[in-house]
Amino acid sequence: MSFEACYRYGYNMVLNKQGRQLYDGVKELVSENIDRLADTQVKPAIPTSSVSGDTDPAQKSQEVDRFLKAIRSSWDTHISCMSKLRDILKYMVRSLFP
């Protein structure tokens, strides 16, 4: 959704005294997004060579590097989403409580 659409929906919910529903919905969506990032980016990148001790050190290093990049990518995605959410809520607070 665009910034304007998210703001409009949130603003209307607050005006109609549905703040608790807005809060619970946002909390649930953030949780679902974190779970989705973990399932699609982090879990597939977990190194498998650490279980067996006879693995090539170069392969182990590549797997660890891939895992760390997956964590960084999912963190960056999460931070980007949270920043957009923060901007919407800050704008909403300024508009509702001048």
Side-chain angles (χ1 to χ4, degrees):
M1 276 192 195
S2 69
F3 180 87
E4 293 82 14
C6 289
Y7 172 79
R8 186 172 50 252
Y9 286 122
Y11 183 82
N12 287 333
M13 289 183 79
V14 171
L15 284 180
N16 292 314
K17 308 239 185 265
Q18 296 174 328
R20 174 52 73 182
Q21 183 181 359
L22 175 63
Y23 173 81
D24 291 341
V26 169
K27 184 174 75 170
E28 184 178 327
L29 285 173
V30 169
S31 178
E32 288 173 6
N33 189 45
I34 290 172
D35 290 342
R36 182 187 55 78
L37 287 172
D39 289 340
T40 60
Q41 292 184 8
V42 178
K43 286 180 183 177
I46 293 175
T48 58
S49 62
S50 61
V51 176
S52 59
D54 58 342
T55 306
D56 178 32
Q59 179 185 358
K60 189 181 284 191
S61 176
Q62 289 174 348
E63 288 183 0
V64 169
D65 186 52
R66 185 172 54 98
F67 177 66
L68 293 174
K69 285 180 181 179
I71 289 177
R72 178 60 189 250
S73 174
S74 60
W75 176 253
D76 289 343
T77 300
H78 174 69
I79 292 299
S80 174
C81 292
M82 294 306 293
S83 294
K84 292 173 187 172
L85 180 60
R86 178 202 64 211
D87 292 344
I88 290 168
L89 295 176
K90 280 173 54 176
Y91 185 73
M92 186 182 299
V93 167
R94 278 189 268 145
S95 298
L96 290 173
F97 309 105

